[in-house]
Amino acid sequence: MEKLAHKISSRSAVVGVIGLGYVGLPLLATFHRAGFATIGFDVDSKKIESLHAKRNYLQHLGDELVCALHTGAAFDATCDFARLSEADAILICVPTPLGKHLEPDLSYIEKTTDAIAKALRPGQLIVLESTTYPCTTREIVVPRLEARGLKVGQDIYVAFSPEREDPGRKDFSTQNIPKLVGGIDPISGELAVALYRAAVDEVVPVSSAEVAEAAKLLENIYRAVNIALVNEMKMVLTAMGIDVWEVIRAAATKPFGFQAFYPGPGLGGHCIPIDPFYLTWKAREVGMPTRFIELAGEINHGMPGYVVERLSRALNDRGKPMKGSRILVLGLAYKPDVDDVRESPSFELIERMTDLGAIVEYNDPHVPQTHFMRHYGDLGLKSVVLTPQSIAGYDCVLIATHHKAYDWQMVADHAQLIVDTRGAMRGVKGSSDHIVSA
Ligand SMILES: NC(=O)c1ccc[n+]([C@@H]2O[C@H](COP(=O)([O-])OP(=O)(O)OC[C@H]3O[C@@H](n4cnc5c(N)ncnc54)[C@H](O)[C@@H]3O)[C@@H](O)[C@H]2O)c1
C-alpha cells in the first residue's frame, strides 16, 4: 500500500484508462494534465489511431485536448491489453447498456475485468467508473480479480467512482465536478481518494463502493423522474391552452425548494433513459418494486408517440394526411450543441412518422449523416441544407433539438407548419398560427 501511495503522491504512478469514449477520454486527459503518465486502452482501433494522429473523434472536446496529450507527461494509447500490467491505477469507463428486456448488460464490465485479471500484478488499484447497480464492483469485479489469487485490500485495491460528465457543458469538466469515491475496503478507498485528489479539484469520500454506486443512480433517477413530471405537466397544460414553458419559468423564480426541469420529445443520451432500470433490476433481488422509475419510464417513453400524434393532428387540421407529407426534423442529437445521438428520441420520431407514410428528412449542424445504431441500423440519411426556400418546401418542420446554431426567426418566417417540442419558438416575432406545441 505504501509503495502505491508514494507513487500517487509523487505523481510517478502510471494511470491506465479503459474505454476512451465520452467519459474515459476527458478523464485520461485530466490525469495527464495533473502530471501522470497515462495509457489509454480501447477495443476500437480507429480511436487509438486518431489519438496517435492527434485527431479527436469527440467533436465537443476539440483537437486541442488530444494534441495536449502529446506534450508534457508520457502518453500512449493501445489496443494491447497485456500492457495493463504497466499501469499502477486502472480506471474502467466502458459502456453499461440495457439488454433487450431492459436488463443490465454487464458484458463490457465483465470482459474488461477479465482482461485486467490476465495482466494483474500486486500493488495495482482498479476503479470502476461505469454507471451500474449497487454491489456490481463487489459482486462482479472483485471475484474475477481475486480468482487470480490476489486479495483485495491486501495485494490489490478496488473502488468505485462514478463519472458525472455532462458532455458539451462549458462551466463544468471532469476537473471541477466533485468526485465521489468509495472503496471495497478502507485501504482501497483511501488509495482511490488519494489518486483522484491528485487530479480533481474536489473529492468526496464515501464509506463504501455501494454508496458511490447508489448515489450515481439516485442522481440519474432524480432527473428521469423530474423530466417525466414536466412532460406530464406539458401534456396537461397544453390541453388547457397554458404555456408550460412560461409556467416553468415562473415557478423557477422561487429561490428555494424548486429546480427547473424542461420537457421534450422523450429521453436521450447514454444515461437517463438507461441507468434507472439498473436499479429496477437489482431491486427485484430484495423483492422491492421501483414504481417511480417505472412510471417515469412509461411517461418519458410515451413522449415520441405524443409528439407524432400532435403533429399528425396539426397536419390533419390543414387537410393533409401524414402519408405522403414531407417533414423536416430539426436536431438529431439528443441535446443541444453536441453530436451525441445515443438513445436520441429523434430516431423514434423519424421511425414512427416514416411508418405512417411520411417522407422524413433531417437537419443537424452537428450530425452530417446518420451512422449505424444498435436499434435502428443505419437510416442512410444526410443532414439537408437549411435555407428559407428549403424550409418552405416541407409540409411540417418538427423541432426536436434546440441547437444554438439555429435561426429560429428564419424557421418561423418560412415554415408552413412548425411542431415545437422544445419551446424554441417562444421568442420569435410575427404570427404564431402555424406553430403547435408538442
Ligand atoms: N456519456 C456520459 O455523459 C456519461 C456520464 C456519466 C456516466 N457515464 C457512464 O460511463 C460509462 C461509459 O460511457 P461513455 O459515454 O463514455 O461510453 P462511450 O460509448 O462513449 O465509450 C465507451 C468506450 O469503451 C470502449 N469499449 C467497449 N468495450 C470495451 C472493452 N471491452 N474494452 C475496452 N474498451 C471498450 C468503446 O470502444 C468506447 O470507446 C457508462 O457506464 C455510462 O453510463 C456516461
Side-chain angles (χ1 to χ4, degrees), residues 106 128 132-143 160 184 208-214 217 279 281-282 285-286:
L106 291 187
L128 180 61
T132 183
Y133 57 74
C135 304
T136 305
T137 313
R138 198 177 299 274
E139 292 174 358
I140 306 290
V141 175
V142 168
F160 182 82
I184 282 295
S208 66
E210 287 74 17
V211 170
E213 289 165 332
L217 284 189
L279 187 66
W281 183 86
K282 187 69 176 171
E285 199 174 285
V286 287

Side-chain angles (χ1 to χ4, degrees), residues 216-283:
K216 172 68 188 179
L217 284 189
L218 174 61
E219 292 166 16
N220 285 355
I221 292 163
Y222 172 80
R223 282 189 64 72
V225 167
N226 280 286
I227 292 169
L229 176 66
V230 286
N231 276 333
E232 187 173 76
M233 286 293 281
K234 170 176 83 170
M235 292 187 281
V236 172
L237 295 180
T238 302
M240 293 175 173
I242 301 168
D243 179 357
V244 68
W245 301 93
E246 191 178 351
V247 171
I248 294 170
R249 257 205 339 203
T253 59
K254 185 179 175 187
F256 49 85
F258 182 84
Q259 191 190 346
F261 285 83
Y262 300 97
L267 285 184
H270 185 24
C271 297
I272 313 300
I274 292 171
D275 304 343
F277 293 101
Y278 267 65
L279 187 66
T280 298
W281 183 86
K282 187 69 176 171

Side-chain angles (χ1 to χ4, degrees), residues 168-220:
R169 253 192 113 113
K170 302 276 180 259
D171 48 351
F172 287 106
S173 65
T174 312
Q175 171 89 46
N176 67 2
I177 298 171
K179 198 93 176 79
L180 295 180
V181 179
I184 282 295
D185 60 281
I187 297 177
S188 294
E190 229 176 89
L191 285 166
V193 166
L195 178 75
Y196 286 102
R197 280 212 172 118
V200 172
D201 295 351
E202 188 185 345
V203 174
V204 184
V206 294
S207 64
S208 66
E210 287 74 17
V211 170
E213 289 165 332
K216 172 68 188 179
L217 284 189
L218 174 61
E219 292 166 16
N220 285 355

